[in-house]
């Protein structure tokens, strides 16, 4: 686990709409659940208001402080903020001050770099054309057509072994690597997959490492 790194005020934070959030609200014990509804960089965030907790309404007032944490691309991020206001329609939401800085702790064994590489994922002899969205020496994230409910349940329970094939922009020869799909989320008509490489042979591991270095230049 790496040391925390901070982002300066005004820089857009790495967070996607709908991201699950954990809140520590001043004056309340325990952690609250929420998710990101929207944001305007350097101005404010909009999150769903946690409900169903005794005494929480009395703590959702202007100026009350909270710490917000979330996971994104293999890191846990956190920052302190304050409530600007609460709205109740169309549903309860909190508008928060945009953070002056965020701290992050990397959870993955190796940093991932963003990319857009066409790939084919083979699961149980069925091929899914897709896109590698980011990659590291130990795994990647792919977007493929919506998986079957059976495959989703298996991934959520124990993961699925599969084969990933792609051609890197710095390597004319196709790479084939055995992988394990460890998590999946639905995104419109597609499935976003978290994938770990299953200890590729030294030569293939070297090619993947060189690809990451090429993309991170």
């Amino acid at each position: 686990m790496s040391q925390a790194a901070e982002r300066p005020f005004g820089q857009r934070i790495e967070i996607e709409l709908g991201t699950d959030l954990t809140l520590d609200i001043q004056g309340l014990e325990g952690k609250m659940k929420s998710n990101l509804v929207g944001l305007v960089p350097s101005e404010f965030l909009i999150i769903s208001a946690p409900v169903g907790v005794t005494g929480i309404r009395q703590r959702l007032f202007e100026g009350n402080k909270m710490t917000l944490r979330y996971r994104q691309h293999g890191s846990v991020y956190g920052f302190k903020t304050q409530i600007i206001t609460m709205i109740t329609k169309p549903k309860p939401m909190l508008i928060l001050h945009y953070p002056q800085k965020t701290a992050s702790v990397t959870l993955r064994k190796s940093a991932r770099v963003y990319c857009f590489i066409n790939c084919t994922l083979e699961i149980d002899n069925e091929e899914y054309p897709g896109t590698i969205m980011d990659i590291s020496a130990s795994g990647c994230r792919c977007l493929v057509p919506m998986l079957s409910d059976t495959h989703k349940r298996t991934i959520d329970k124990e993961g699925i072994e599969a084969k990933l094939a792609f051609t890197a922009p710095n390597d004319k020869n196709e790479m084939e690597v055995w992988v394990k799909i460890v998590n999946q989320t639905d995104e419109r008509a597609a499935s976003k997959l978290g994938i770990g490489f299953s200890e590729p042979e030294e030569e293939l591991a070297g090619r993947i490492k060189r690809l990451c270095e090429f993309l991170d230049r």
Side-chain angles (χ1 to χ4, degrees):
M1 190 176 289
S2 68
Q3 294 182 341
E6 293 187 348
R7 296 175 181 274
F9 175 76
Q11 182 176 347
R12 188 182 181 97
I13 58 177
E14 272 193 89
I15 188 169
E16 299 176 356
L17 296 184
T19 295
D20 291 330
L21 310 171
T22 301
L23 313 177
D24 288 316
I25 301 174
Q26 184 170 282
L28 288 173
E29 292 186 4
K31 292 177 169 47
M32 315 296 159
K33 299 297 183 182
S34 179
N35 59 76
L36 181 70
V37 177
L39 62 79
V40 175
S42 299
E43 295 188 28
F44 59 82
L45 306 172
I46 305 173
I47 68 170
S48 60
V51 294
V53 178
T54 302
I56 193 169
R57 288 282 183 172
Q58 289 73 32
R59 292 296 172 182
L60 302 182
F61 57 84
E62 180 181 351
N64 199 22
K65 299 177 181 178
M66 69 172 68
T67 300
L68 185 153
R69 297 182 179 87
Y70 62 96
R71 292 193 181 210
Q72 188 82 4
H73 305 318
S75 295
V76 173
Y77 293 87
F79 58 83
K80 297 182 184 298
T81 184
Q82 291 180 296
I83 298 173
I84 296 175
T85 189
M86 178 178 176
I87 59 177
T88 57
K89 294 181 179 180
K91 66 177 185 177
M93 289 181 281
L94 295 174
I95 301 178
L96 310 175
H97 286 286
Y98 199 84
Q100 295 184 10
K101 61 183 178 181
T102 65
S104 67
V105 177
T106 300
L107 301 178
R108 290 192 175 111
K109 295 179 181 178
S110 51
R112 293 195 176 181
V113 289
Y114 293 102
C115 60
F116 190 93
I117 300 174
N118 293 331
C119 66
T120 301
L121 189 67
E122 183 179 327
I123 307 173
D124 296 335
N125 297 318
E126 183 175 356
E127 291 189 348
Y128 291 90
T131 303
I132 300 174
M133 305 170 67
D134 59 49
I135 190 168
S136 74
S138 59
C140 65
R141 190 167 54 122
C142 287
L143 193 67
V144 301
M146 189 70 71
L147 297 181
S148 68
D149 289 340
T150 298
H151 282 154
K152 291 178 187 178
R153 287 192 295 268
T154 305
I155 291 170
D156 291 341
K157 183 178 179 181
E158 58 189 17
I160 286 181
E161 299 291 334
K163 185 167 65 175
L164 180 68
F166 62 95
T167 300
N170 67 322
D171 190 333
K172 64 180 181 179
N173 296 317
E174 185 179 62
M175 298 188 201
E176 286 191 352
V177 56
W178 286 100
V179 302
K180 186 169 186 178
I181 306 172
V182 295
N183 60 67
Q184 76 85 31
T185 55
D186 292 340
E187 186 168 292
R188 296 183 182 176
S191 292
K192 186 185 294 183
L193 308 177
I195 291 174
F197 298 145
S198 300
E199 299 183 2
E201 295 181 357
E202 184 176 352
E203 187 270 340
L204 180 56
R207 292 170 67 191
I208 295 172
K209 180 180 179 180
R210 289 192 292 274
L211 168 62
C212 294
E213 292 170 346
F214 173 83
L215 295 170
D216 199 34
R217 291 186 309 184

